[in-house]
Amino acid sequence: MAPLPRGDRRAPSLGRVRRTLLAALVTAAVTVPVAGAARPADVPAPAPTAIAPLSSTEPTALAAELAARYAAGRAEVRAAGRTAQAHGAHRRAASLLRMATPGRQFLSFDGRDGGRSAEVVGDLARADLIAILVPGADTGLDAYDRFHRGATALHDTVRRQHGGRVAVVAWLGYRTPATGSAASLTPGRAEQAAPRLRALVEELARVRPGARITLLGHSYGSVVCARAAAGLPVASVVLYGSPGTGFDDADDLRTRATVWAGRAAGDWVGEVPHLRVPLLPGTELGFGTDPVDPAFGARAFAAGDGGHSDYLAPGSVPLRNLAAITAGREPSHA
């Protein structure tokens, strides 16, 4: 189904709404049982040890705090891996074994309910540029490697193209929905995730007060970023591969940050109808205005010809532009 013409803010016809609802319900009916069969959220894990907030602003002292956090994070990953192995969840156990490799840097980790983590690539204690990656649907501990590779690719590209001291935080801080599921079509998961994302940003801004922080949301992660953005001390909010944010325009995000939007030519999310249909009180289906529509008011950047999962591919147009935005430089627009 084709999206509304860009700039057309008129309400869709009742027939169009019905067709969209039907398509959504059929997709959810097909996808949810398949996702449920894998039951990734049912793999048990021990409760993590409580951690104190970061407090040091002096780089050497902060580095010592972070080293302790990273060691504790790796221990939590290993413990979750042993539990997964004992449960017979061999794919999860193998993924966690790779995540626990010496040198990996987890600010936090919780293996329960599908998994939550915040992993750092780079030297956060001395970073002048901090990028926080927020993933979309189908990102979890069983298929974590792609997310880690993307964070590493962004870190390396910023260093190579622009220099400076950069850290990338791969934030898997919420239970991401399955593509096409009912949860992926409504803002509930994003609303639950937003306070946790805000807390992370505020903590990093407190201990690295001079750093330039960029918030980058892919796919459903852009909905999370939009829900979290109001008043945050970030320089840029980047929405890429976004189905919409649930807001009519960028001003509704209530941020002084520059809001950027990009979508690759081969990204299937461009075919998603940009609707917001009330369901129950306080609940909507769909996310409204397309962020790459000029009517939304975001600044556009070129995102190449790739697909929905290709934005952080090494050497790609979108990766170069995401790196430029992270560094506070002007991306290409065509």
Side-chain angles (χ1 to χ4, degrees):
M1 185 179 295
L4 290 171
R6 293 187 176 183
D8 188 346
R9 306 296 291 277
R10 294 172 298 176
S13 68
L14 181 58
R16 176 88 181 257
V17 171
R18 286 173 174 166
R19 290 196 299 274
T20 301
L21 285 168
L22 179 60
L25 292 172
V26 169
T27 303
V30 171
T31 305
V32 171
V34 174
R39 307 179 72 87
D42 289 348
V43 178
T49 303
I51 54 176
L54 298 171
S55 60
S56 301
T57 57
E58 192 280 319
T60 301
L62 179 57
E65 279 192 76
L66 287 169
R69 285 275 286 267
Y70 297 156
R74 287 191 297 273
E76 301 284 9
V77 175
R78 288 193 294 270
R82 291 191 294 269
T83 302
Q85 187 67 41
H87 184 70
H90 303 301
R91 182 183 181 192
R92 172 74 57 86
S95 179
L96 292 171
L97 180 64
R98 293 190 294 273
M99 291 171 68
T101 301
R104 298 285 287 270
Q105 303 179 143
F106 288 92
L107 274 175
S108 61
F109 179 85
D110 184 347
R112 299 172 298 173
D113 189 33
R116 312 284 188 272
S117 67
E119 182 178 12
V120 177
V121 179
D123 184 359
L124 181 58
R126 295 171 176 81
D128 299 315
L129 304 170
I130 299 174
I132 302 173
L133 287 177
V134 181
D138 301 321
T139 305
L141 298 183
D142 290 349
Y144 184 83
D145 289 347
R146 177 188 285 273
F147 190 35
H148 173 69
R149 288 195 300 270
T152 301
L154 179 60
H155 172 271
D156 293 350
T157 303
V158 174
R159 287 283 303 274
R160 184 171 57 253
Q161 287 186 182
H162 306 288
R165 295 174 295 191
V166 59
V168 176
V169 181
W171 186 78
L172 180 58
Y174 74 113
R175 184 177 172 185
T176 65
T179 298
S181 67
S184 74
L185 304 171
T186 57
R189 297 274 177 96
E191 290 169 353
Q192 294 169 6
R196 294 191 288 271
L197 179 56
R198 289 181 60 85
L200 172 69
V201 173
E202 289 165 353
E203 181 179 33
L204 297 183
R206 185 176 65 251
V207 298
R208 292 299 299 155
R212 177 187 178 87
I213 301 177
T214 302
L215 197 56
L216 304 102
H218 174 241
S219 191
Y220 192 88
S222 68
V223 187
V224 178
C225 290
R227 289 293 194 282
L232 280 183
V234 298
S236 296
V237 176
V238 188
L239 314 170
Y240 61 106
S242 175
T245 63
F247 294 103
D248 291 332
D249 55 51
D251 288 343
D252 290 342
L253 273 61
R254 294 183 291 122
T255 177
R256 287 188 284 183
T258 302
V259 179
W260 295 89
R263 185 170 63 232
D267 189 342
W268 58 261
V269 85
E271 299 302 316
V272 172
H274 295 284
L275 306 173
R276 288 168 64 193
V277 181
L279 298 176
L280 299 173
T283 304
E284 294 179 324
L285 175 70
F287 302 106
T289 310
D290 186 348
V292 302
D293 186 332
F296 186 75
R299 294 195 64 190
F301 66 91
D305 299 324
H308 189 63
S309 300
D310 298 332
Y311 290 91
L312 297 176
S316 66
V317 170
L319 177 61
R320 292 197 298 270
N321 280 331
L322 293 172
I325 294 169
T326 296
R329 307 291 177 83
E330 191 72 12
S332 64
H333 301 281

